Amino acid sequence: MTITFYKYHGTGNDFILIDNRLETFPKTDLVYIEQLCNRRFGIGADGLILLENDATADFKMVYFNSDGNESTMCGNGGRCLVAFAKKLGIINEMALFNAVDGKHNAHIAQNGIVSLQMKDVNEIEIAPNYVFLNTGSPHYVTLVNDSLTHFQVKASGAAIRYSEQYKDGGTNVNFVNQISENHFRLRTYERGVEDETLSCGTGATATAIAMNVIGKTNSNTIQLDVEGGKLKVVFDKDGSQFTNVNLIGPASFVFNGSVSYNKN
């Protein structure tokens, strides 16, 4: 069987996208998915996303980490899938799609900037040295005093991700510097990838909310510098409730091709 794929990235967070509306992709073959995501023996990507039919929305998003396992919500991946859906002619400027954490509205502008509505957030753990919250995926957010340029993200992130505290499912880990009142830089260790990625959409969203919660900013429009570019997060806040949370940034087509699948 020949499988057609498309490669997209959102600020350097890259994905293999596949139109699976005919349900022909072997999504139970996790070894094959991991192989496709491998950067030396496959196409190479931080994750693989299937676009599928949905009875109550324009389409459905099914997301797999690069380790082959189906995972929680991916913000940058969701934005890329919206751009992919437009390329396929499924949508025009507006989209409603289903993901593992529920329905998401999105808008794609003529310049390719995608605004994706994320889940509401109302449960936030505030500790002396970190904030923990779920923005579709679990995130540990911590400010660091050192420059992020030479910060050991993989080692430090893995230590937290595999700590006793998060032994039941792990967590993504975000290391943050403040640039100005509503402008932050972050680097993210992603579980499932088990390494730093150039960008993490749910991590950027978590960082924006966390910085507001601990009083580092009073703004509801947060600029975020990630290793692969720039993102923006906007939200409404009522007490400890965060609603109308939108992740905004580019979603770029890279190339497309085909691969073979031979069932063992």
Side-chain angles (χ1 to χ4, degrees):
M1 178 172 66
T2 299
I3 298 170
T4 299
F5 70 87
Y6 296 76
K7 184 78 177 287
Y8 276 76
H9 80 87
T11 52
N13 198 190
D14 60 338
F15 307 96
I16 300 164
L17 304 185
I18 294 172
D19 180 358
N20 196 39
R21 286 176 291 173
L22 297 179
E23 299 185 8
T24 56
F25 183 82
K27 61 184 179 182
T28 60
D29 192 338
L30 305 188
V31 173
Y32 181 65
I33 294 171
E34 182 180 17
Q35 177 187 342
L36 290 179
C37 292
N38 189 289
R39 296 193 182 278
R40 291 179 173 82
F41 299 102
I43 300 165
D46 292 325
L48 182 145
I49 307 174
L50 303 179
L51 184 150
E52 298 186 344
N53 290 315
D54 189 274
T56 61
D58 294 317
F59 54 90
K60 179 181 178 181
M61 172 182 178
V62 183
Y63 175 66
F64 299 85
N65 277 326
S66 61
D67 64 2
N69 292 303
E70 189 171 349
S71 191
T72 48
M73 179 58 186
C74 177
N76 286 330
R79 293 189 304 101
C80 287
L81 196 64
V82 170
F84 182 47
K86 183 175 182 181
K87 186 178 185 71
L88 294 176
I90 297 171
I91 63 165
N92 291 314
E93 286 76 34
M94 306 298 295
L96 173 66
F97 69 89
N98 231 331
V100 67
D101 64 338
K103 287 189 170 65
H104 293 262
N105 286 295
H107 172 265
I108 180 167
Q110 291 295 321
N111 62 0
I113 299 296
V114 178
S115 178
L116 172 63
Q117 186 175 20
M118 306 294 283
K119 66 174 287 187
D120 293 346
V121 176
N122 51 36
E123 294 183 8
I124 304 173
E125 176 190 350
I126 304 173
N129 298 317
Y130 69 89
V131 178
F132 183 81
L133 65 162
N134 193 307
T135 53
S137 291
H139 281 275
Y140 179 110
V141 182
T142 184
L143 281 161
V144 296
N145 295 322
D146 298 336
S147 169
L148 285 180
T149 300
H150 302 293
F151 192 81
Q152 298 299 309
V153 172
K154 184 174 182 179
S156 300
I160 297 168
R161 184 258 196 267
Y162 288 106
S163 66
E164 185 70 14
Q165 185 174 3
Y166 299 108
K167 65 179 181 180
D168 291 335
T171 183
N172 303 286
V173 185
N174 305 273
F175 302 99
V176 184
N177 279 165
Q178 185 163 12
I179 297 173
S180 64
E181 197 278 328
N182 70 331
H183 190 181
F184 298 85
R185 181 185 178 191
L186 73 148
R187 294 176 64 183
T188 303
Y189 175 96
E190 283 200 54
R191 65 173 188 173
V193 179
E194 306 311 334
D195 203 345
E196 180 180 9
T197 56
L198 294 181
S199 177
C200 176
T202 54
T205 305
T207 297
I209 292 173
M211 293 301 101
N212 182 279
V213 163
I214 63 175
K216 292 298 179 180
T217 179
N218 293 316
S219 178
N220 65 348
T221 300
I222 312 296
Q223 305 290 336
L224 297 140
D225 292 353
V226 296
E227 293 301 278
K230 296 181 181 295
L231 294 168
K232 181 167 69 173
V233 174
V234 299
F235 51 76
D236 293 332
K237 180 183 179 183
D238 183 6
S240 60
Q241 308 285 318
F242 289 82
T243 60
N244 296 320
V245 182
N246 278 269
L247 172 68
I248 303 167
S252 305
F253 169 72
V254 184
F255 63 89
N256 64 282
S258 62
V259 291
S260 297
Y261 176 73
N262 297 307
K263 185 176 181 180
N264 295 325

